[in-house]
Amino acid sequence: MTEDARTDVYRPRRDRLWFARSRGYTVFVLRELTSVFVAWSIVFTLMLVDAVLGGSLAEFAALAARPWMIALNVVALAATVFHAVTFLNLAPKATVVRLDGWRVPAWMIQGGNHTAWALVSLLIAYVVLRS
């Protein structure tokens, strides 16, 4: 087959909104997109650690107090929470837990994951806010 013959083959157009046809696909794509905001949260935290260790906390606080930075971090918080919830909800599909041959139901795994997340979050909030 020559190069010219291959270009004559019919190729249907790709649907760029394929994920919008199903709720499951839409949630999947949104979850993948939230990874960008999760990465930003990590970078922002590393910037905070660098500012604390480097003695430039005042400059970092001035940057963090800008309205666009606050808006970005609020969106990042919402995206990170969405990412975490969807991750914890997928855990029973990725991990099968058996106890003496009995398969632990998905709702128990999800409930345990969400409970552990809430308890760790409360502990962190207590440590940060107790002053």
Side-chain angles (χ1 to χ4, degrees):
M1 193 182 260
T2 65
E3 184 69 31
D4 293 332
R6 273 190 275 162
T7 58
D8 293 338
V9 175
Y10 171 72
R11 291 189 182 105
R13 290 188 132 189
R14 294 183 189 211
D15 183 12
R16 295 189 192 272
L17 295 175
W18 60 269
F19 59 90
R21 302 198 192 296
S22 165
R23 182 182 183 277
Y25 289 152
T26 302
V27 171
F28 168 76
V29 170
L30 286 175
R31 183 180 185 285
E32 294 304 309
L33 290 174
T34 60
S35 299
V36 174
F37 292 102
V38 172
W40 165 250
S41 299
I42 294 167
V43 168
F44 188 77
T45 303
L46 290 173
M47 288 169 52
L48 172 62
V49 169
D50 182 59
V52 169
L53 296 177
S56 59
L57 190 56
E59 292 86 7
F60 178 80
L63 173 68
R66 293 184 179 172
W68 65 270
M69 185 66 84
I70 293 171
L72 175 62
N73 284 325
V74 167
V75 171
L77 175 63
T80 303
V81 168
F82 178 79
H83 191 89
V85 168
T86 56
F87 176 81
L88 294 177
N89 287 343
L90 288 173
K93 294 177 180 163
T95 306
V96 175
V97 179
R98 296 190 182 278
L99 299 172
D100 289 331
W102 176 71
R103 183 176 175 165
V104 177
W107 66 269
M108 289 179 120
I109 296 171
Q110 285 177 340
N113 286 341
H114 287 285
T115 302
W117 181 38
L119 290 175
V120 169
S121 296
L122 288 172
L123 177 66
I124 292 171
Y126 172 76
V127 169
V128 170
L129 301 174
R130 71 179 170 179
S131 63

